[in-house]
Amino acid sequence: ISDISMPHRSGFELCETIHRLRPSLRVYLMSAHHYTSENRELRAVGAAGFFRKPINPKTLLSELGSHFAPSA
């Protein structure tokens, strides 16, 4: 999970780099600014999803929980 606004590189740039190096790694971006998970920029860099700050813990757990559940 990375913020979109950072000092030296944007979350979009970071996500694009991670997606290029490890396509199977899910990267979520967050921001207090208005974006949606359907935003063209988010999809273009390979973001798995988007969270608007402040992040609701229930939403976070719901979205990420299944990726960390023990496998049967």
Side-chain angles (χ1 to χ4, degrees):
I1 299 173
S2 174
D3 202 325
I4 289 176
S5 299
M6 299 186 293
H8 300 289
R9 145 186 275 194
S10 76
F12 290 117
E13 293 169 321
L14 177 64
C15 184
E16 191 170 41
T17 300
I18 292 170
H19 189 67
R20 188 176 65 248
L21 297 174
R22 298 257 325 261
S24 63
L25 188 62
R26 298 174 65 90
V27 178
Y28 290 83
L29 295 175
M30 65 179 174
S31 178
H33 300 286
H34 182 71
Y35 291 93
T36 66
S37 58
E38 290 80 33
N39 184 281
R40 182 176 43 88
E41 250 182 313
L42 292 168
R43 287 182 284 143
V45 297
F50 173 77
F51 297 106
R52 184 168 178 142
K53 295 192 293 186
I55 299 173
N56 179 313
K58 288 181 181 181
T59 302
L60 182 67
L61 289 174
S62 172
E63 182 69 29
L64 301 179
S66 63
H67 300 291
F68 298 100
S71 56

